[in-house]
Amino acid sequence: MKLVKVANQVSIKRSVEVGTKEQRDTVKNIIKNVRARKQEAVMAYTKQFDGVLLESLLVSSQEIEAAYREMDPNMITVIQEAAQNIRSYHEQQRQTSWMMTEQNGTILGQKITPLSSVGIYIPGGTASYPSSVLMNAIPAQIAGVRRIVMVSPPDQNGKLPASVLVAASEVGIKEIYKVGGAQAIASLAYGIEGIKPVDKIVGPGNIFVALAKREVFGDVDIDMIAGPSEIVVLADESAQVNEVAADLLSQAEHDERSSSILVTPSESFAHKIAAEVKKQIADLPRKDIVEKSIRNFGRIYVTRTMDEAIEVVNELAPEHLEIMTEQPVEILGRIKHAGAIFIGRFSSEPVGDYFAGTNHVLPTNGTARFSSPLSIDDFQKKSSVVIYSEVAFRKHAHKIAAFARLEGLEAHARAIEERMK
Amino acid sequence: MKLVKVANQVSIKRSVEVGTKEQRDTVKNIIKNVRARKQEAVMAYTKQFDGVLLESLLVSSQEIEAAYREMDPNMITVIQEAAQNIRSYHEQQRQTSWMMTEQNGTILGQKITPLSSVGIYIPGGTASYPSSVLMNAIPAQIAGVRRIVMVSPPDQNGKLPASVLVAASEVGIKEIYKVGGAQAIASLAYGIEGIKPVDKIVGPGNIFVALAKREVFGDVDIDMIAGPSEIVVLADESAQVNEVAADLLSQAEHDERSSSILVTPSESFAHKIAAEVKKQIADLPRKDIVEKSIRNFGRIYVTRTMDEAIEVVNELAPEHLEIMTEQPVEILGRIKHAGAIFIGRFSSEPVGDYFAGTNHVLPTNGTARFSSPLSIDDFQKKSSVVIYSEVAFRKHAHKIAAFARLEGLEAHARAIEERMK
């Protein structure tokens, strides 16, 4: 890992998924065709990209039952327990509609309404991501979204992974379609025979999915376009070298472009971590990815003091922050920007990725400066409510009309004055 | 106004600001130049586009004092009263950090942190928009944003409107710069000599501002890209014809592309409104704009029943909704999508635009299906917090490692197991 003594220059190497011109054109073309020829186009793309000619996109109850039989029962229990933890945490995020009443009869309020329908994209390919199903679906459910649809690309046998189907079934998703890529995003945004359009699309995906989400944004809402994942560990000599190194490596296995960063005021600790990272890499199954990620994006920032280290963390605004210092809890109040903050030795990032209950969909690329973890806020919207009383109106009408005229909007002023006639 | 008997097809004509290729290229070029040559470029663009060679971008305290002398004292009082109302309403939106503690020692939480810095764009040109200053700055202030910067293009004498300066001063904005257009957005996003970059840019603007915001998005956050404004009035024969017509016209004066829409179950009422709109248009100062807007985007949807009318409103998902029916309050619970809901005869839209206290920055173009009014939520972000206890860790470690392996992420599993050694 590259060791950097900090003066002023710190950064997470940003990389945003804008794709090549060819990829963007491909995506635009797929969306156009799906809008024009609907299911016919989707079936053709599924044959082309996923290598399977499906009879039906909808996952049947038989397929769900088969998935349960296929799964290790212990893993089903783990998924259920994780789902329960995620539910408990996100239930705390509930907000309620409120109103303020005035003596003169006026009522002002804020009404909270769930989104009507949401689509969740779950990537396919070689891996399966049941945890993503839980993390995206449960907040939508708690927010009160009535219709939650899941889409995921089928394998060459026309199947979805058992773990993904079980996770979806555990959180009560009824509508699951075997469709992936830009054609899935287009189907969700504009509808095809058998799939009604949704109001928002969430969930991770490859470059084609990311570009398609960008393309349909505005017609429907989307969640963030996630960049590569990052971890920053803030640690001093009280931390366990093997644990810090292992946490850095767990981030690096996601993607060659993932960033694993240590910030520490101890140069000797920094050297120990660098050596331990090297040692642990040796027998990791995803060694190639990990090595590239560590070489290109791995950093150890050595600062003069802990105060300076905290400043560096705030500059980085990481997606994941682990604090493993002598007094980690005392540092929490000084963290300005981070998607998720893991405090102390036993709060290893995978605890939050899978099980503790917090969401693993987090702002990447330094956007923790202004963005939040996925939450039930993403699945509700607010309306302001004005019930203005006659007493209030008669008292303030002339001021409102004057304000409108100050801005040159005469028809606004007259709308008020028509009521004074 | 075009009268349509509703069967199935209803829509607000959408129009999104994507600009021409030339406009997009111009904006990209301006941003590039401001990033490269900074203040020098900004001064040159201000000369070119605003026709004035400024000595300093920063508004001086002398200019603020002059603005106060120039303003009608009564209008200062109105601005102060409006600001107070906006403050009272938005204070209700405060959220607090929370935690949940478990018997085994684990603590999970959600920490709320204000954005560090925000830039507010206020359009210039012929009109002045003090209300936009209040609506954008006050929620940021209540959210706890420490640094709020305002930018607005100067007139040919190098001045900003007195009303805008007074509004900014009333809400305590200290940093005000005379710069507009794409060069203002670039300055806020990337910084120039004398203007440090901000984390988020909000506020309305012309096509160049909208395109520039789109361009810098990701490096900084932005609010929504607002489309043309819309009003939907849901009314029956109990409503006053002159008032409904005046409200429709107040929307139409904003922009030729504004939409003014009446939804009613009464055909005779529909005809009365159409006639009254025609009559009231005659002597409006912005008659040309109003006529074009009404001709192209004005609609009266006549339904068979009030139930059907409510469905139409939900299909339209309007920015502004006025309900002027016999029992307007009873309808509130049935409105699924609307930015702001104005109930009853005295809740004319300008009441909310200027004075009641709710925000006038609202989701346009049907995005009320998934977006909310500007609120303090836009100026805060959340971090999840995990303090996992040793007891909890030892109990669940094997499940977490198993879940990671189910997804093929071995290094995640090992990060857990390193702590069990």
Side-chain angles (χ1 to χ4, degrees), chain A residues 106-365:
Chain A
T106 288
I107 300 175
L108 301 179
Q110 182 175 273
K111 178 176 186 275
I112 296 183
T113 321
L115 270 57
S116 298
S117 53
V118 166
I120 299 175
Y121 188 94
I122 300 296
T126 49
S128 64
Y129 300 103
S131 64
S132 293
V133 178
L134 306 182
M135 293 294 178
N136 284 280
I138 292 173
Q141 230 169 18
I142 294 174
V145 177
R146 288 272 179 96
R147 180 168 166 250
I148 302 176
V149 183
M150 190 178 96
V151 295
S152 191
D155 64 16
Q156 294 200 335
N157 303 313
K159 291 180 71 178
L160 296 186
S163 63
V164 166
L165 291 181
V166 166
S169 181
E170 284 299 325
V171 297
I173 301 178
K174 300 266 178 288
E175 259 185 272
I176 308 173
Y177 300 102
K178 292 181 274 192
V179 55
Q183 60 275 20
I185 303 302
S187 302
L188 288 174
Y190 304 110
I192 60 169
E193 304 90 324
I195 307 182
K196 275 189 281 183
V198 299
D199 287 333
K200 182 166 186 167
I201 303 172
V202 298
N206 65 15
I207 181 73
F208 294 99
V209 172
L211 292 176
K213 280 165 73 179
R214 226 182 254 274
E215 202 64 30
V216 302
F217 176 54
D219 290 330
V220 300
D221 197 17
I222 60 169
D223 58 351
M224 55 197 105
I225 307 271
S229 204
E230 323 135 7
I231 192 171
V232 169
V233 180
L234 173 66
D236 59 22
E237 292 188 335
S238 71
Q240 307 295 309
V241 172
N242 62 325
E243 298 171 7
V244 171
D247 289 359
L248 291 168
L249 289 170
S250 76
Q251 196 59 28
E253 80 174 329
H254 276 296
D255 190 312
E256 304 175 355
R257 296 165 308 156
S258 294
S259 300
S260 302
I261 297 173
L262 171 69
V263 184
T264 180
S266 161
E267 192 171 341
S268 70
F269 184 77
H271 285 294
K272 283 182 207 157
I273 294 295
E276 178 73 14
V277 162
K278 216 168 188 174
K279 193 183 117 194
Q280 289 190 18
I281 283 183
D283 71 331
L284 282 176
R286 292 163 76 99
K287 193 182 159 194
D288 285 358
I289 293 173
V290 175
E291 270 181 343
K292 278 189 196 150
S293 158
I294 293 288
R295 189 170 54 241
N296 294 326
F297 299 108
R299 289 285 179 280
I300 301 180
Y301 290 117
V302 180
T303 59
R304 282 164 301 188
T305 61
M306 183 52 80
D307 286 348
E308 208 175 67
I310 293 169
E311 268 176 54
V312 169
V313 168
N314 282 326
E315 278 295 310
L316 293 170
E319 182 189 8
H320 306 94
L321 171 65
E322 289 185 357
I323 308 180
M324 285 189 271
T325 60
E326 203 130 18
Q327 301 289 346
V329 174
E330 290 180 9
I331 291 172
L332 178 59
R334 298 173 64 188
I335 302 303
K336 285 187 200 160
H337 315 295
I341 305 167
F342 298 88
I343 294 177
R345 191 181 156 194
F346 295 101
S347 307
S348 176
E349 192 208 300
V351 169
D353 286 343
Y354 292 113
F355 199 77
T358 53
N359 209 291
H360 77 197
V361 182
L362 297 166
T364 56
N365 263 339

Side-chain angles (χ1 to χ4, degrees), chain B residues 157-174:
Chain B
N157 303 314
K159 292 180 70 179
L160 297 185
S163 63
V164 165
L165 292 181
V166 166
S169 181
E170 284 297 324
V171 297
I173 301 177
K174 300 264 179 289

Side-chain angles (χ1 to χ4, degrees), chain A residues 345 377 381-382 419, chain B residues 336 345 377 381-382 419:
Chain A
R345 191 181 156 194
D377 298 354
K381 73 288 194 321
K382 296 166 181 174
R419 287 164 166 84
Chain B
K336 286 187 198 159
R345 189 181 157 194
D377 299 354
K381 72 287 191 328
K382 295 166 181 174
R419 287 163 166 84

